[in-house]
Amino acid sequence: MGKFVITKRTSGEFQFNLITANNGKTVLSSEGYLIKLSCENDIESVRKNSRDDSKYARKTLPNGNSYFNLQTASGQVIVTSEMYESTGERDNGIDFVKTKAPNAIIEDTTI
């Protein structure tokens, strides 16, 4: 099981992370948002796009670390994953997002 956690940065911006419920590991982190509604809208966009494999841009850095971006049909990046030490770990992260994000609960720590 996973959950989206909405937090507020010291700058006052809102952001969300998708974390695993069993160990609290962050899988995805969003950008900062000035308006909370924008943050909530992007959570819905992650839910909507997460099941479609074509929406994942898989990236590998020269040092071997890997990450992925989840993007819209037009190629706009919604969220970026955490850094993984291997492509296998990255692909496990993608599988987690595909299966858990659509029904993940939202925990809002800003209220």
Side-chain angles (χ1 to χ4, degrees), residues 1-108:
M1 184 163 178
K3 67 179 172 179
F4 291 100
V5 179
I6 299 173
T7 58
K8 200 168 193 180
R9 296 177 175 175
T10 55
S11 65
E13 292 180 316
F14 296 92
Q15 83 167 71
F16 68 86
N17 294 314
L18 176 61
I19 63 170
T20 61
N22 59 341
N23 66 8
K25 182 178 183 221
T26 299
V27 179
L28 292 177
S29 295
S30 73
E31 63 182 273
Y33 305 91
L34 295 176
I35 301 168
K36 188 176 183 180
L37 182 59
S38 297
C39 182
E40 294 167 337
N41 287 341
D42 269 3
I43 288 173
E44 292 309 313
S45 186
V46 169
R47 285 179 165 163
K48 176 184 171 190
N49 291 287
S50 63
R51 291 185 183 173
D52 184 347
D53 191 66
S54 70
K55 305 284 178 71
Y56 292 89
R58 294 159 172 85
K59 308 285 185 175
T60 303
L61 300 175
N63 67 1
N65 287 343
S66 298
Y67 68 99
F68 62 89
N69 292 324
L70 178 61
Q71 51 199 29
T72 63
S74 64
Q76 177 185 356
V77 174
I78 306 166
V79 287
T80 299
S81 74
E82 297 302 298
M83 199 60 60
Y84 296 98
E85 292 184 9
S86 70
T87 57
E89 289 177 355
R90 178 201 61 206
D91 294 345
N92 287 340
I94 291 171
D95 288 342
F96 176 84
V97 175
K98 283 180 178 178
T99 59
K100 304 300 183 189
N103 298 309
I105 62 168
I106 298 174
E107 179 181 314
D108 187 347

